[in-house]
Amino acid sequence: MKELLLKMYEVMLEIRIFEERVITLFVTGEIPGWLHSYIGEEAVATGVCLNLNKNDYIVSTHRGHGHCIAKGVDMNYMMAELFAKETGCCKGRGGSMHIADASVGILSANGIVGGGIPIAAGAAFGSEYKKDGKVTVSFFGDGAAQQGAFHESVNLASIWNLPVIFVCENNFYALSEPCKAPVLPGQTRHLKIENIADRASSYGIRGIIVDGMDVINVYEGIKSIIEDVRQCKGPVLVEAKTYRYKGHFEGDPQYYRTKEEINEWIKKDPILALEKKLIDEKIASSTEIENINKKVAEKVEKAIDYARKSPEPSTNTAFDYIF
Ligand SMILES: Cc1ncc(C[n+]2csc(CCOP(=O)(O)OP(=O)(O)O)c2C)c(N)n1
Ligand SMILES: [Mg+2]
């Protein structure tokens, strides 16, 4: 148990520090493109992915750095991808929103909201057909749960008992639109029901809610269903209630929510909560925690160094990989 808890801490911290450093590099212009930070939501990717085997699949989103790190992507290649370098996991062609690494089952992030959900159902169809025993996890947001692609995919997955877990990361906003009753004039909400997991009943499948700010709760929730899913006893819709501390994208003015609301959620920080538990319950010493902090910080700096020293893609490869 200690080993698992320390692993949870380390993975969440890798995501947090990776994101914090990437933001600074984006602001100074070293990283091009767009950034959608996963800070605050680390417990979801970590709690889910620590239940998966290396060859299980995940399909990620525009906010996908955390999913990829938790699934075990090589951080050097991921950082190089963000730098648009030839050594990146997609040879610098994908960037933040299209990270893929088949060697660890990452079937790609996706800039199209809801676009990954049918891909996940398709991967799970392949697993059911081949009886390869793999599980696919589809990560998506509360906004994506309002897309037609969500309903079609969950419906087909339920009819065919596909081995897929639909993980809705409900961070209560789709860009500037809240799930809950709007507080500002002119604002509209994008969801009328309280729990997205309740939709599971309309597809005849199980729906569960987990606390996306508590890595142990997420881990246990997935653990309780994954073997049934793997054995093709039907997909499950998991709703993780969570929160992004940063704006929708880096540079978002965030006029649609208050500082007070953000601060309330930061009080539930999943990394600080786990650190406190480890220390209070004498599961780990502060030296052990400090060693992990140091190890993670070094790993991220090494990845930045790797990305900086990597070559740009050559211009005569500009038309490669176009089909
Ligand atoms: C099909 C489509 N519609 C709209 C957009 C623009 N867009 C990008 S992210 C986003 C909000 C997504 O919200 P949610 O699914 O809750 O994910 P979150 O950003 O909260 O993680 C929107 C509307 C898009 N990329 N794709
Ligand atoms: Mg959202």
Side-chain angles (χ1 to χ4, degrees), residues 41 63 141-144 169-175 179 190 244:
E41 304 190 23
R63 200 176 299 291
D142 45 286
E169 302 183 305
N170 184 358
N171 59 13
F172 297 96
Y173 289 91
L175 228 157
C179 285
H190 72 76
R244 58 169 161 77

Side-chain angles (χ1 to χ4, degrees), residues 74-100:
D74 184 311
M75 197 185 280
N76 287 359
Y77 302 155
M78 184 168 159
M79 189 66 87
E81 187 58 37
L82 265 60
F83 273 71
K85 296 293 184 79
E86 183 66 31
T87 53
C89 38
C90 306
K91 295 188 182 292
R93 270 79 169 170
S96 167
M97 279 191 272
H98 300 96
I99 290 165

Side-chain angles (χ1 to χ4, degrees), residues 67 97 108 111-112 121 126 131 158 165 197 222 260 309:
H67 309 143
M97 279 191 272
S108 185
I112 299 170
K131 309 275 180 249
S158 86
I165 302 175
I222 298 295
E260 290 72 26
K309 288 182 179 147

Side-chain angles (χ1 to χ4, degrees), residues 124-232:
F125 177 81
S127 288
E128 202 277 333
Y129 188 75
K130 290 186 283 184
K131 309 275 180 249
D132 65 11
K134 294 183 189 176
V135 166
T136 299
V137 170
S138 173
F139 289 103
F140 56 93
D142 45 286
Q146 321 315 335
Q147 288 280 41
F150 164 81
H151 300 280
E152 295 174 36
S153 308
V154 179
N155 191 45
L156 278 179
S158 86
I159 293 165
W160 292 333
N161 285 325
L162 303 182
V164 54
I165 302 175
F166 297 101
V167 177
C168 179
E169 302 183 305
N170 184 358
N171 59 13
F172 297 96
Y173 289 91
L175 228 157
S176 53
E177 282 200 353
C179 285
K180 297 199 165 174
V183 285
L184 299 172
Q187 215 174 17
T188 49
R189 66 191 294 185
H190 72 76
L191 176 72
K192 198 149 186 190
I193 56 173
E194 180 77 12
N195 300 313
I196 291 167
D198 291 348
R199 289 185 176 166
S201 63
S202 41
Y203 304 105
I205 63 170
R206 282 173 70 187
I208 63 169
I209 296 173
V210 294
D211 179 354
M213 304 303 281
D214 178 345
V215 66
I216 299 170
N217 190 266
V218 177
Y219 179 85
E220 296 293 342
I222 298 295
K223 194 176 159 68
S224 71
I225 58 164
I226 194 164
E227 283 318 312
D228 281 353
V229 175
R230 203 180 283 289
Q231 288 166 29
C232 297

Side-chain angles (χ1 to χ4, degrees), residues 4-308:
L4 176 64
L5 292 174
L6 289 180
K7 183 73 188 162
M8 288 174 176
Y9 177 78
E10 182 172 338
V11 174
M12 288 198 293
L13 197 68
E14 277 190 11
I15 300 171
R16 175 74 54 95
I17 294 184
F18 181 93
E19 292 283 62
E20 286 175 349
R21 288 294 282 121
V22 158
I23 289 171
T24 61
L25 297 162
F26 176 77
V27 171
T28 56
E30 257 190 286
I31 289 183
W34 289 86
L35 273 192
H36 301 86
S37 160
Y38 196 67
I39 292 178
E41 304 190 23
E42 296 90 346
V44 185
T46 305
V48 171
C49 290
L50 286 183
N51 276 288
L52 300 179
N53 299 328
K54 187 175 174 187
N55 64 1
D56 286 332
Y57 296 127
I58 65 162
V59 182
S60 176
T61 68
H62 57 286
R63 200 176 299 291
H65 303 164
H67 309 143
C68 297
I69 291 173
K71 189 63 177 61
V73 69
D74 184 311
M75 197 185 280
N76 287 359
Y77 302 155
M78 184 168 159
M79 189 66 87
E81 187 58 37
L82 265 60
F83 273 71
K85 296 293 184 79
E86 183 66 31
T87 53
C89 38
C90 306
K91 295 188 182 292
R93 270 79 169 170
S96 167
M97 279 191 272
H98 300 96
I99 290 165
D101 185 349
S103 72
V104 289
I106 301 169
L107 300 182
S108 185
N110 204 313
I112 299 170
V113 172
I117 311 174
I119 295 173
F125 177 81
S127 288
E128 202 277 333
Y129 188 75
K130 290 186 283 184
K131 309 275 180 249
D132 65 11
K134 294 183 189 176
V135 166
T136 299
V137 170
S138 173
F139 289 103
F140 56 93
D142 45 286
Q146 321 315 335
Q147 288 280 41
F150 164 81
H151 300 280
E152 295 174 36
S153 308
V154 179
N155 191 45
L156 278 179
S158 86
I159 293 165
W160 292 333
N161 285 325
L162 303 182
V164 54
I165 302 175
F166 297 101
V167 177
C168 179
E169 302 183 305
N170 184 358
N171 59 13
F172 297 96
Y173 289 91
L175 228 157
S176 53
E177 282 200 353
C179 285
K180 297 199 165 174
V183 285
L184 299 172
Q187 215 174 17
T188 49
R189 66 191 294 185
H190 72 76
L191 176 72
K192 198 149 186 190
I193 56 173
E194 180 77 12
N195 300 313
I196 291 167
D198 291 348
R199 289 185 176 166
S201 63
S202 41
Y203 304 105
I205 63 170
R206 282 173 70 187
I208 63 169
I209 296 173
V210 294
D211 179 354
M213 304 303 281
D214 178 345
V215 66
I216 299 170
N217 190 266
V218 177
Y219 179 85
E220 296 293 342
I222 298 295
K223 194 176 159 68
S224 71
I225 58 164
I226 194 164
E227 283 318 312
D228 281 353
V229 175
R230 203 180 283 289
Q231 288 166 29
C232 297
K233 293 186 182 166
V236 178
L237 174 60
V238 178
E239 178 182 3
K241 309 269 191 192
T242 183
Y243 200 75
R244 58 169 161 77
Y245 299 172
K246 299 281 177 179
H248 171 71
F249 56 88
E250 207 40 46
D252 175 4
Q254 301 187 62
Y255 61 83
Y256 50 85
R257 60 181 187 173
T258 63
K259 283 212 168 58
E260 290 72 26
E261 180 184 291
I262 301 171
N263 289 336
E264 278 309 305
W265 280 91
I266 291 177
K267 284 183 195 158
K268 303 180 208 169
D269 188 74
I271 303 177
L272 291 180
L274 183 58
E275 182 184 352
K276 188 171 177 326
K277 179 183 170 70
L278 290 168
I279 299 287
D280 287 358
E281 296 178 22
K282 300 197 183 348
I283 299 166
S285 67
S286 49
T287 315
E288 281 173 296
I289 300 281
E290 274 160 32
N291 286 343
I292 296 175
N293 296 352
K294 196 161 163 275
K295 180 176 147 195
V296 169
E298 281 170 7
K299 183 173 178 176
V300 176
E301 291 312 311
K302 222 179 99 220
I304 295 169
D305 196 46
Y306 177 84
R308 280 188 175 135

